[in-house]
């Protein structure tokens, strides 16, 4: 996760390693997270701002507690944006699965575990720096 300011608009960055040795490569994952009302919609412009920050070979992830407008989804597909959209329903489904698999079905314990690890996950590194790890 990135700090609240000076992060270039990214809420989290990560690295995805594919393959190994000479057949391997690493990709930067640049993410945006928005906590909005469940009945609120993310617009095409909001997704496009994240896509505009991506460099060649990077992948974007946009996570929201709401949903995506139909024009936003259409633009993403038509323009072949390299971005994964995770809506509130997907987020809840994933959290429930994590709680079931890792916390004996205790959703509160799962969320507490995530929040306790959150402080340790904050970094000052720029997205391109994670490729050097």
């Amino acid at each position: 996760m990135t700090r609240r300011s000076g992060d270039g608009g990214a809420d989290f960055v990560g690295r995805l390693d594919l393959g190994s040795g000479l057949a391997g490569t690493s990709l930067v994952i640049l993410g945006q997270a928005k906590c909005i009302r469940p009945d609120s919609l993310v617009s095409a412009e909001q997704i496009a701002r994240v896509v505009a920050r991506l460099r060649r070979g990077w992948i974007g992830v946009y996570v929201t507690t709401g949903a995506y407008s139909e024009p936003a989804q259409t633009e993403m597909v038509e323009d072949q944006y390299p971005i994964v959209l995770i809506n509130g329903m997907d987020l809840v489904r994933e959290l429930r699965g994590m709680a079931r698999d890792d916390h004996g079905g205790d959703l509160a314990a799962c969320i507490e575990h995530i929040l306790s690890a959150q402080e340790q996950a904050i970094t000052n590194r720029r997205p391109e720096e994670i490729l050097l790890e």
Side-chain angles (χ1 to χ4, degrees):
M1 293 186 319
T2 59
R3 297 199 184 281
R4 288 190 182 269
S5 62
D7 60 12
D11 291 323
F12 59 93
V13 293
R15 186 176 81 192
L16 177 63
D17 296 323
L18 302 171
S20 62
L22 295 176
T25 190
S26 296
L27 303 173
V28 169
I29 310 298
L30 184 73
Q32 183 72 42
K34 292 293 178 193
C35 183
I36 60 176
R37 291 182 3 187
D39 60 346
S40 297
L41 298 176
V42 174
S43 70
E45 292 79 22
Q46 290 170 292
I47 296 171
R49 280 196 292 270
V50 174
V51 172
R53 291 186 198 104
L54 299 177
R55 295 189 183 170
R56 184 180 200 96
W58 290 15
I59 297 172
V61 176
Y62 200 114
V63 181
T64 182
T65 51
Y68 298 95
S69 69
E70 188 172 330
Q73 294 176 61
T74 300
E75 182 174 322
M76 188 207 65
V77 171
E78 288 178 354
D79 291 349
Q80 299 180 5
Y81 286 167
I83 192 164
V84 175
L85 302 181
I86 301 173
N87 64 32
M89 292 297 288
D90 292 335
L91 186 58
V92 167
R93 194 175 304 114
E94 185 64 27
L95 281 171
R96 284 184 176 156
M98 289 169 62
R100 181 190 62 241
D101 296 343
D102 301 333
H103 300 279
D106 187 345
L107 184 57
C110 178
I111 292 171
E112 181 60 36
H113 176 80
I114 292 168
L115 293 175
S116 68
Q118 177 180 351
E119 194 64 33
Q120 298 167 347
I122 295 175
T123 181
N124 280 326
R125 293 178 301 166
R126 296 187 330 264
E128 52 277 351
E129 289 177 314
I130 67 164
L131 290 174
L132 304 175
E133 290 182 337

